[in-house]
Amino acid sequence: MNKQDNHWVGRDVERVDGLEKVTGAARYTGDLAFSHLLHAAVLRSPHPHARIKHIDLEPARKVPGVKAVVCGRDYPYHVGIYLKDQTVFATDRVRYVGDPVAAVAAETPEAAWEAVAQIRVDYEPLEPVFDVEQGIAPDSPLVHPDLGQYECEPWITPKANSNICNHLKIQKGDYQGALKSCAHVFENTFRVPQVQHVPMEPHISVARVDLAGKVEVHTSAQSPFTVRHLLSHCFKLNHGDVRVIVPTVGGGFGGKAGINLEPIAVALAMKTHGRPVRVLVDRSEEFYAVVVRQGLTATLVTGVDKQGKVQAQKMHYLWDCGGYGGYGVNVVRAAGYTCGGAYEFPNVEGDSIGVYTNRPIGSAYRGFGMQEIHWALENQMDMVAHGISMDPVEFRLLNCLGPGKSTVTGQVLDDCAGRVDKCIIKVAEELELDKPTDKGTGRMVRGRGMACAVKAPAMPNDAASAVILKFCEDATVEVSISGTDIGQGLRTVAAQYAAEGLNLPMEKVRVHNEPDTHLSPYDWQTVASRQTWATGNAILRATEMCKQQLFDMAAEVFEVPAEELELGNLEVLHLESGRSIPLERLVLGYQFEDGHCIGGPVAAHASYVPEGLLFLDPITSQSDKPVAKWTFGAQAVDILVDKETGHLDVERVVACYDVGRVVNPSMAKGQTYGGIAQGLGTAVMEELILDRKTGRIANANLMDYKIPTTMDMPSEIDAHFIETPQCDGPLGARGVGEHTMIPTPAAIANALYDALGIRIDEMPITPTKIRQAIKDKAGK
């Protein structure tokens, strides 16, 4: 191990010890009383790209209090949700600064970190790949030389002997032919950096393996059943021998959607003879040691006719997937089949390409690639509108999707699809975009702009959600669900659907939402803004099953057809005769006066799986129904810019989304406000800055990596909703959790152009970039 490596480990030990003086007394407290908790420390790579020549673990094993030391040769198993390209610990090479190389479990955090400092690793540095343009070049160093041997889903298409981990192509109509006949053609390139999720609670996992080899994991995750499935596959275990429990999660935003620290915790627990092991990252490690949002370089070509109708559209996306693409490859895919955004393009050529680099791992993030592609597309649409001297609102209305129009995959939208045109009209009216902007004449200049948004749930065709409903003796209904409530209000929505389906007051509903793969009903994942839609549908199905049980018993008692009965006032009612039976007399079965009984405890298990979904064509990606639903929306912003400093204030945001049906007005508005805050952060301040000499993240702390505070929020936010019922939605609803942050950055960029006539093509929109753009414009 060279001096640079020692310095890296020493710095970690000093930093972590400093933290442990504050947090070292903390112990895991969950539903299961873990005793004799062991503390883990992880040795992470100091190099962005290097070959591992030798690892010596013996000095670490001699440190007092150490109970287990493991590395890649102990567990050469692959893991990944869509592409299994990562091992529990790096085996042959490391692929980003922070890549796990070895780990220690010890009696105290101090002992664990002391042992980590004793591990000796002989690295052979390799040329790193830091940019997607470099990574896609034919002569680029290979981040994964064995890419062609990895297991992956059939709809993920890695390219062997390259850095391409997935490539989705879109071909609709005749792009080349249409482009030749266009009156105007515009080509521009836009960039989005990697950013961090910054959840309130960093990643943490606790694992225990009992003497029979059964695994129990308590973890901060969005998808307990997916974690169980991936752990079972990785360690060659039966699913029934792996139990995953998810307590209250302190924020996820997609960063806890797949699998993260859990394999490390399990690997150590397999060596500690029944003692639980806790693995966690501190706030600094959260910025690089776990997943981040992918970066994007997007080149768009738009051809329009003399009337302003887009006739040819090309999208070329290069996604920075970082060192591993296990989850991120599906972001690449989703961006491909949504590359047209909220617009109808008759002739399309699209390429969405995931590229390995030696940066942190790119993965799911709220919006699942949609904010990134909308940054490019909505800037482009604005530039085209101005380029042909057409009002940007009119241009969007002329080209947007709607009933009877087709997406880039050829799906023709029906009357149940959302109405982006109504969202555009609403935000334009509220901000009076039909009137000229009063920009002012002094140092402070005002501008207004807008952007559209669309997102479909990126999920397999068989993504299921299941629920269990059962009545208590007092006619309270208990609802058991496994979706993870990460702040979106799932428990409240579940209670609303149960109360609505059974015509019960809300106080008679109890929702149990402590996901436990041994005890809870199955749920695929809490991602894709799907819980209201999927779990809501499952709950309504279960309420119908419970109602039928109640009606069947009451029909026998009343000697009337079950179809004549209703629920109300905590009774089963037969309105024609005026008779009723309290639910309390039915929920455990009905006993007649002579003592004989009918029925039994009223309960139901129900599930929901998307209906009618079809695979994309493997060549053109055309499909009549590749996704379950589309949620459309739009935002308009009013900004104030200081021409001297470049400081930008967003003073007002108007948002409108077609949610099908507003299930809970307060929570729908809350999602909108939160999404705008997160969208504002990525728009004007958030960016992971890479030290290109070392490959390390230079701003891995909350002093240098800024996120919005209350001081940065707009003084006025207006949230509006259109209700075009979703045909297969629960009471017409569709998801809106992620969509609210998608258009914010592009709307701000378009408002900046309105204010100063300058265009920022790379997020974030910082004062430095604004000042430089003003200077460049003056020079021209």
Side-chain angles (χ1 to χ4, degrees), residues 12 15-16 19 113 202-203 280-288:
D12 269 0
R15 175 172 53 80
V16 173
L19 287 174
W113 284 108
H203 285 70
L280 76 163
V281 296
D282 63 27
R283 178 57 67 187
S284 178
E285 291 172 316
E286 185 76 23
F287 283 94
Y288 63 89

Side-chain angles (χ1 to χ4, degrees), residues 55-275:
I55 299 179
D56 183 5
L57 303 179
E58 290 308 311
R61 293 192 172 105
K62 297 176 182 178
V63 174
V66 169
K67 299 301 179 182
V69 184
V70 295
C71 67
R73 61 175 173 259
D74 299 301
Y75 299 100
Y77 308 141
H78 282 81
V79 67
I81 182 170
Y82 300 114
L83 172 64
K84 291 177 172 50
D85 61 353
Q86 187 173 10
T87 48
V88 181
F89 301 98
T91 54
D92 59 332
R93 67 176 62 199
V94 292
R95 295 176 170 90
Y96 69 99
V97 170
D99 207 350
V101 175
V104 173
E107 296 286 357
T108 66
E110 292 80 7
W113 284 108
E114 182 182 347
V116 160
Q118 300 302 314
I119 297 173
R120 297 292 180 260
V121 184
D122 185 10
Y123 294 101
E124 178 188 339
L126 301 171
E127 181 185 352
V129 178
F130 289 144
D131 302 302
V132 289
E133 293 89 348
Q134 176 194 3
I136 204 170
D139 59 348
S140 174
L142 295 182
V143 179
H144 286 265
D146 298 329
L147 177 57
Q149 302 175 26
Y150 296 153
E151 179 184 344
C152 66
E153 295 295 331
W155 32 269
I156 300 299
T157 56
K159 184 179 179 181
N161 301 313
S162 79
N163 287 319
I164 297 175
C165 54
N166 193 23
H167 184 178
L168 186 85
K169 295 183 70 68
I170 296 285
Q171 296 175 14
K172 177 187 178 185
D174 179 10
Y175 166 76
Q176 293 294 344
L179 189 68
K180 293 176 183 178
S181 63
C182 289
H184 308 277
V185 177
F186 300 84
E187 179 174 351
N188 294 289
T189 297
F190 306 90
R191 290 179 172 82
V192 179
Q194 286 188 331
V195 299
Q196 229 298 314
H197 304 75
V198 199
M200 187 179 298
E201 171 202 39
H203 285 70
I204 180 170
S205 298
V206 179
R208 182 178 66 179
V209 180
D210 67 20
L211 299 183
K214 295 185 177 181
V215 176
E216 182 171 333
V217 178
H218 291 233
T219 186
S220 181
Q222 294 175 225
S223 312
F225 285 90
T226 294
V227 171
R228 180 186 70 172
H229 176 67
L230 295 177
L231 287 174
S232 299
H233 184 281
C234 176
F235 292 100
K236 312 298 188 291
L237 301 169
N238 291 322
H239 284 61
D241 292 336
V242 178
R243 182 181 187 183
V244 176
I245 300 169
V246 174
T248 302
V249 176
F253 309 115
K256 299 175 182 177
I259 193 164
N260 289 283
L261 300 179
E262 295 89 357
I264 298 175
V266 171
L268 285 167
M270 285 181 166
K271 303 285 189 181
T272 57
H273 309 293
R275 293 187 65 177

Side-chain angles (χ1 to χ4, degrees), residues 221-445:
Q222 294 175 225
S223 312
F225 285 90
T226 294
V227 171
R228 180 186 70 172
H229 176 67
L230 295 177
L231 287 174
S232 299
H233 184 281
C234 176
F235 292 100
K236 312 298 188 291
L237 301 169
N238 291 322
H239 284 61
D241 292 336
V242 178
R243 182 181 187 183
V244 176
I245 300 169
V246 174
T248 302
V249 176
F253 309 115
K256 299 175 182 177
I259 193 164
N260 289 283
L261 300 179
E262 295 89 357
I264 298 175
V266 171
L268 285 167
M270 285 181 166
K271 303 285 189 181
T272 57
H273 309 293
R275 293 187 65 177
V277 179
R278 182 183 71 172
V279 181
L280 76 163
V281 296
D282 63 27
R283 178 57 67 187
S284 178
E285 291 172 316
E286 185 76 23
F287 283 94
Y288 63 89
V290 292
V291 296
V292 303
R293 189 175 81 175
Q294 293 170 307
L296 172 66
T297 298
T299 299
L300 276 60
V301 180
T302 304
V304 296
D305 60 22
K306 293 180 179 179
Q307 288 72 43
K309 189 78 171 70
V310 177
Q311 296 298 336
Q313 182 67 43
K314 180 178 181 179
M315 283 78 63
H316 188 264
Y317 299 150
L318 294 177
W319 292 92
D320 186 344
C321 292
Y324 300 95
Y327 207 125
V329 290
N330 199 32
V331 176
V332 175
R333 182 174 181 269
Y337 64 66
T338 319
C339 66
Y343 303 99
E344 182 184 42
F345 298 139
N347 302 286
V348 177
E349 183 178 299
D351 291 276
S352 188
I353 304 170
V355 183
Y356 286 126
T357 67
N358 296 117
R359 290 174 179 258
I361 303 171
S363 187
Y365 184 101
R366 186 179 188 176
F368 211 70
M370 295 302 104
Q371 187 192 76
E372 299 92 293
I373 68 171
H374 281 76
W375 165 255
L377 185 59
E378 288 298 321
N379 265 289
Q380 178 82 347
M381 293 297 98
D382 222 61
M383 295 170 77
V384 172
H386 287 293
I388 62 174
S389 301
M390 190 172 182
D391 177 74
V393 173
E394 293 180 10
F395 179 76
R396 287 177 168 84
L397 289 173
L398 177 65
N399 288 284
C400 70
L401 285 165
K405 297 182 179 181
S406 65
T407 68
V408 294
T409 64
Q411 179 183 2
V412 179
L413 302 183
D414 57 24
D415 291 336
C416 295
R419 297 291 299 273
V420 69
D421 57 334
K422 293 184 177 181
C423 297
I424 294 171
I425 292 169
K426 182 63 177 177
V427 300
E429 288 178 347
E430 290 292 323
L431 213 56
E432 297 183 326
L433 295 182
D434 58 326
K435 299 179 181 178
T437 304
D438 182 8
K439 298 180 180 181
T441 57
R443 173 175 168 177
M444 307 302 292
V445 182

